[in-house]
Amino acid sequence: MLGFQTRGLGSPRLLLPWLLLPALWAAGRGQLRYAVPEEAQHGTFVGRLAQDLGLELAELVPRLFRVASKERGELLEVNVQNGILFVNARVDREELCGRSAECSLHLEVIVDRPLRVFHVEVEVEDINDNAPEFPLKEQKLLISESKQPESRFPLEGASDADTGENAALVYTLSPNEHFSLESPTTSKQTKRLSLVLKKPLDREKAPEFNLLLTATDGGKPALTGTAQLVVRVLDVNDNDPEFDQLEYRVKLTENTPEGTLVIKLNATDRDEGINREVTYALLSVKPSGRRLFTLDEKSGEIRVNGTLDYEENNFHEIEVQATDKGTPPMAGHCTVWIEILDTNDNSPHIEVNSLSFSVPEDAEPGTVIALVSVSDRDAGANGQVSCSLPPHLPFKLASTFRNYYSLVLDSALDREATAGYQVVVTARDGGSPPRWATASVWVEVADVNDNAPVFAQAEYTVSVRENNAPGAHICTVSARDADAQENARVSYALVERRVGERALSSLVSVHAQSGRVHALQPLDHEELALLQFQVSARDAGAPARGSNASLQLFVLDENDNAPALLGPAGGGARSHALARSAGAGHVLTKVRALDADSGYNAWLAYELQPAAAGARSPFRVGLYTGEISTTRALDEADAPRQRLVVLVRDHGEPALTATATLLVSLVDGAPSPKLSARASAGRVGAEASPLDVNASLMVAICAVSGLLVLTLLLWGALRCCGAARSEGACAPGKPVLVCSSAVGSWSSCRQRRPGLCSADGPPKADLMAFSPGLTPNLDREDERERQDSGSNHAGQVSFPI
């Protein structure tokens, strides 16, 4: 046989299935059965699997002893060390097998060398872990009150997921006198769980029953489940409608308005649903038989349907029937007695005919506005009517004929104070008690153009920084007109004038509708520091009315001018000769510069640029005077030619600078007459020109400062008069006025005035005035005093902000 397999199949691997057939046949003959309760904990012992299969413990691992199953194999596991089968995960019988009576797990135990397969069946035993459960927690039953005792009504029973005795259910019902419970029995399998009526029902006494149905299983311990039974008793039509009273008595005055409620009847039926729905019907009205009254068939309301007249009939009898909607219908009856009382039953009647819809506010007193007529159908004193108007109205009633009046204007009108009047005319008769009636007419006051536009401020003070962008918004003026419609439509315009050689309209403009003021071109503080002009506001009335507002525009300075050097230093390098014998503090020359800006932007400081690396310059420059002097005695180590670069910087943000270059030649002994004369001439020329310039500058600065202070004082006085603050207006501030002393130093003096504000930034609270340049001798003395005091910053000024 082996030879045949080798020759026929040609490969040893094809012999393996034939060799394993005896082993597989032997393994299929054995089968073990175990039992384990559901919900067993992890590690619960099931059985000694290896021992029961006849396997040695020592050969379990070498022979690859294992459990294989496709059916929830993770629930059970085997210990390959001792061959014990144990619970590996929670076992839920209801989850595995549902309500099946039999529930088992089938395992395959496999060992190799030789291969053997054992079949193991583990039965999962049921425990009472599931309580009975009703499909509905609340069951509703509808039972008619006409049902006879012993009537049965099926109920939905409970179900238990367990099996056997654990699923055997017993039902109980909460105690009551009307119902009992009939449970299914094993002898009658087709019989259902039913509710049995024991006693007749009466819906009017007990319309609903709430019962508790309990199901108990046969487990130990027993588990229960409950369901709520709601029994509603259905009504039958066994009660008549009943009125609150058999007779009703009502008193009405004659001429009661049609539709007036006389009485609301109420009939009740103790049944429910359609059996208690009641409709009302009017059977008869005596003695006249006329339909003077109506009855609402649903609400039972009796209302007046005609004119009640005491002189014609002073008593009425009404028969009413109430019928329910049951089958067959049932009815009840009542009687309503109505007594008519005589009174002053006619009220005055007023008619108002308006002659015009509106009255101009400039109408003259005595103008007729409307015609009023009154009437009363009564006679005697009950028919005599008098008319009146409310007090404090600019109108009066003038009698023109009997029961005819004219509504006329009594005093002047003002639409801005009151746009219209609701005039109520009251007519009262002479009856007892009197009756009256009212009629109203709306009198509209038409507008005339009697008010000119009024600006929010008589004077606007605003500021804008120079070099503004063309079209920049400066401020907005606003005027209001108390009139209406076209008379209140305001338009704005500039009051044209000349500003120097230019027209005002070339500098600023105002939007005709919004009142927004714009700068048409960049403004220059150095050219125009203050611009005063007027804006007019005119309405669209006929004739038009207008008013003007003044606007002061301060152009705030920007640091847009660099320092300009005066004298030869402005055009190139200056040459100077200095003897080496000059001592410390010797003044060589003075650099002068001028800045076209103002305030901080024109405050100049001088700095000497550092010399070459490692070199120590023997010169210094006054921080604010510009004097160049020696800091020490000259010696042979100093270079014969010195190049000094002086940086002139203003205090603007950002600062602008200029530089002056000086070439200094160091000579031994006194300089040659020619060089000295040239130097002296150069100094005289250099000094003469700044003196003249400083004198002019001093006069100009004093004049501008005086004009500015005067303007600010006038502006402050006007502001104190109570001008309203608006867009573009500024809040008061605490400025600091910086004044110059006689020796060129700085002092600060404070004064209170309204602050200025810029269109694009917060208001500045400081005003600076600079002193003119002083003579060289005074500058030198001041510099020497500062050197003697040992401070290099004695000329420095602090500007509080």
Side-chain angles (χ1 to χ4, degrees):
M1 179 177 178
L2 291 177
F4 171 78
Q5 289 174 345
T6 300
R7 291 190 301 268
L9 297 177
S11 174
R13 290 183 296 178
L14 299 178
L15 296 176
L16 182 59
W18 296 95
L19 296 176
L20 293 179
L21 285 176
L24 294 175
W25 177 79
R29 293 181 301 169
Q31 183 174 355
L32 294 178
R33 290 181 60 87
Y34 295 105
V36 62
E38 65 172 327
E39 303 295 340
Q41 299 294 325
H42 173 76
T44 300
F45 173 81
V46 178
R48 301 183 180 278
L49 184 59
Q51 180 178 348
D52 294 340
L53 292 176
L55 301 175
E56 295 294 335
L57 296 181
E59 65 181 4
L60 296 181
V61 175
R63 296 186 62 182
L64 300 179
F65 179 74
R66 61 192 181 277
V67 174
S69 175
K70 295 182 181 179
E71 186 180 310
R72 306 298 296 272
E74 75 279 359
L75 299 179
L76 301 174
E77 188 57 76
V78 64
N79 190 331
V80 297
Q81 303 296 329
N82 53 23
I84 293 177
L85 184 66
F86 61 91
V87 176
N88 188 48
R90 173 179 173 271
V91 181
D92 188 348
R93 184 184 185 280
E94 288 72 33
E95 181 181 349
L96 287 174
C97 306
R99 300 184 58 83
S100 175
E102 297 293 333
C103 184
S104 300
L105 292 174
H106 298 278
L107 307 177
E108 291 183 352
V109 180
I110 303 174
V111 293
D112 294 336
R113 302 171 187 174
L115 176 65
R116 296 188 64 186
V117 178
F118 302 93
H119 294 275
V120 178
E121 183 177 355
V122 179
E123 181 183 359
V124 180
E125 297 177 342
D126 182 54
I127 65 173
N128 192 24
D129 59 342
N130 292 280
E133 185 175 353
F134 286 91
L136 297 174
K137 293 297 182 183
E138 182 179 272
Q139 299 185 34
K140 296 182 179 180
L141 290 88
L142 303 178
I143 302 176
S144 174
E145 63 177 329
S146 60
K147 284 289 185 181
Q148 299 298 318
E150 300 304 323
S151 297
R152 287 171 171 74
F153 309 96
L155 300 176
E156 289 289 337
S159 61
D160 196 311
D162 297 322
T163 58
E165 289 297 325
N166 295 332
L169 302 181
V170 177
Y171 297 92
T172 57
L173 188 67
S174 57
N176 67 96
E177 62 179 350
H178 286 86
F179 298 96
S180 64
L181 195 66
E182 186 177 72
S183 300
T185 59
T186 54
S187 59
K188 298 180 180 180
Q189 297 296 335
T190 59
K191 194 172 184 179
R192 295 187 58 185
L193 179 66
S194 301
L195 190 66
V196 181
L197 180 63
K198 299 190 300 182
K199 183 179 178 181
L201 300 175
D202 187 352
R203 191 207 62 80
E204 286 72 32
K205 293 182 179 180
E208 186 175 277
F209 296 89
N210 287 286
L211 308 175
L212 184 65
L213 177 63
T214 304
T216 306
D217 62 21
K220 295 182 179 180
L223 299 178
T224 61
T226 59
Q228 192 75 23
L229 300 182
V230 179
V231 180
R232 284 194 59 192
V233 181
L234 301 180
D235 182 60
V236 295
N237 192 25
D238 55 351
N239 292 281
D240 297 330
E242 296 179 358
F243 284 95
D244 298 336
Q245 301 174 216
L246 293 178
E247 292 185 353
Y248 297 88
R249 294 188 178 272
V250 181
K251 294 182 179 182
L252 289 178
T253 60
E254 62 173 333
N255 296 321
T256 299
E258 186 174 345
T260 300
L261 177 65
V262 177
I263 191 173
K264 182 176 182 179
L265 302 177
N266 182 40
T268 57
D269 193 311
R270 292 188 300 165
D271 296 324
E272 73 167 1
I274 195 172
N275 296 327
R276 71 175 302 170
E277 294 182 11
V278 178
T279 59
Y280 302 88
L282 195 64
L283 298 181
S284 65
V285 178
K286 298 176 182 179
S288 65
R290 295 170 56 190
R291 290 289 183 177
L292 296 177
F293 305 94
T294 60
L295 175 64
D296 190 301
E297 66 174 7
K298 293 183 179 180
S299 64
E301 294 180 349
I302 298 178
R303 295 183 178 271
V304 177
N305 191 41
T307 301
L308 303 178
D309 193 348
Y310 172 82
E311 289 72 24
E312 183 178 347
N313 286 303
N314 61 357
F315 200 84
H316 299 274
E317 178 185 352
I318 302 176
E319 293 290 337
V320 179
Q321 174 180 289
T323 308
D324 63 23
K325 296 182 179 180
T327 303
M330 305 186 76
H333 301 82
C334 75
T335 303
V336 180
W337 304 89
I338 300 178
E339 181 182 358
I340 307 300
L341 303 177
D342 183 41
T343 61
N344 181 23
D345 55 349
N346 290 288
S347 298
H349 178 71
I350 306 176
E351 289 186 2
V352 179
N353 297 315
S354 179
L355 299 181
S356 62
F357 294 102
S358 61
V359 179
E361 60 179 324
D362 59 351
E364 296 294 332
T367 302
V368 178
I369 300 172
L371 299 177
V372 180
S373 62
V374 296
S375 61
D376 195 313
R377 293 190 304 163
D378 294 327
N382 294 333
Q384 296 177 359
V385 182
S386 61
C387 293
S388 62
L389 294 178
H392 311 299
L393 288 179
F395 307 101
K396 66 179 181 179
L397 284 173
S399 179
T400 58
F401 191 68
R402 181 182 177 182
N403 293 337
Y404 287 92
Y405 301 86
S406 294
L407 181 65
V408 298
L409 183 63
D410 189 42
S411 60
L413 301 175
D414 186 2
R415 191 207 64 83
E416 287 70 39
T418 305
Y421 298 89
Q422 187 75 35
V423 181
V424 179
V425 181
T426 303
R428 187 184 302 267
D429 63 21
S432 180
R435 298 179 69 89
W436 64 87
T438 60
S440 62
V441 57
W442 173 256
V443 179
E444 181 181 356
V445 182
D447 182 57
V448 296
N449 192 22
D450 56 347
N451 291 278
V454 178
F455 280 93
Q457 295 178 226
E459 181 178 346
Y460 293 82
T461 302
V462 295
S463 62
V464 63
R465 295 186 179 277
E466 65 172 332
N467 302 323
N468 56 280
H473 174 241
I474 297 175
C475 67
T476 300
V477 296
S478 175
R480 297 188 62 184
D481 195 310
D483 294 323
Q485 297 179 355
E486 291 297 316
N487 296 331
R489 185 162 56 87
V490 179
S491 60
Y492 304 90
L494 288 177
V495 178
E496 186 63 79
R497 72 178 185 87
R498 302 293 297 179
V499 181
E501 298 298 328
R502 292 177 293 181
L504 175 64
S505 57
S506 65
L507 297 176
V508 293
S509 68
V510 59
H511 193 271
Q513 281 74 39
S514 65
R516 291 171 62 89
V517 181
H518 297 269
L520 297 180
Q521 57 180 298
L523 300 177
D524 190 353
H525 171 79
E526 290 74 31
E527 179 184 353
L528 183 64
L530 174 62
L531 178 61
Q532 294 179 325
F533 58 94
Q534 287 186 326
V535 177
S536 68
R538 297 181 65 83
D539 58 28
R545 292 176 176 267
S547 62
N548 295 340
S550 299
L551 195 146
Q552 297 186 82
L553 175 61
F554 287 90
V555 182
L556 303 181
D557 182 56
E558 290 281 347
N559 191 26
D560 57 347
N561 291 282
L565 297 170
L566 302 179
R574 298 170 56 183
S575 299
H576 295 272
L578 180 62
R580 287 185 180 273
S581 60
H586 178 77
V587 177
L588 175 61
T589 185
K590 186 171 185 177
V591 177
R592 294 185 180 276
L594 184 66
D595 196 311
D597 295 321
S598 62
Y600 281 97
N601 298 328
W603 182 24
L604 303 180
Y606 301 86
E607 301 176 11
L608 189 62
Q609 296 298 300
R616 179 172 174 268
S617 175
F619 300 97
R620 60 169 296 170
V621 66
L623 180 59
Y624 298 111
T625 62
E627 285 186 347
I628 298 177
S629 61
T630 57
T631 59
R632 56 179 174 81
L634 301 176
D635 52 27
E636 295 297 332
D638 293 321
R641 293 183 62 85
Q642 299 280 340
R643 185 175 183 272
L644 305 180
V645 179
V646 178
L647 177 68
V648 185
R649 183 192 310 272
D650 61 24
H651 283 73
E653 293 182 3
L656 301 178
T657 61
T659 58
T661 304
L662 291 87
L663 301 178
V664 181
S665 299
L666 302 183
V667 297
D668 295 328
S672 63
K674 182 178 180 181
L675 183 58
S676 297
R678 184 181 305 169
S680 298
R683 170 173 293 185
V684 171
E687 298 296 340
S689 177
L691 285 176
D692 296 338
V693 173
N694 287 339
S696 302
L697 180 61
M698 180 173 62
V699 174
I701 291 179
C702 289
V704 172
S705 299
L707 178 60
L708 183 58
V709 170
L710 179 60
T711 302
L712 293 176
L713 290 177
L714 292 176
W715 177 78
L718 292 175
R719 291 291 288 175
C720 292
C721 292
R725 183 178 181 180
S726 64
E727 182 181 356
C730 312
K734 293 184 178 180
V736 177
L737 177 62
V738 182
C739 310
S740 62
S741 66
V743 297
S745 62
W746 296 83
S747 63
S748 64
C749 52
R750 295 181 180 268
Q751 67 175 10
R752 298 182 62 86
R753 65 168 179 85
L756 303 180
C757 69
S758 171
D760 53 358
K764 286 190 174 180
D766 293 335
L767 175 66
M768 297 189 303
F770 290 91
S771 65
L774 302 179
T775 61
N777 291 332
L778 292 177
D779 290 339
R780 294 192 190 98
E781 292 175 2
D782 184 62
E783 183 67 22
R784 293 191 186 97
E785 290 176 0
R786 288 196 295 271
Q787 290 177 355
D788 294 339
S789 64
S791 173
N792 292 332
H793 304 282
Q796 195 169 3
V797 183
S798 175
F799 295 91
I801 296 177

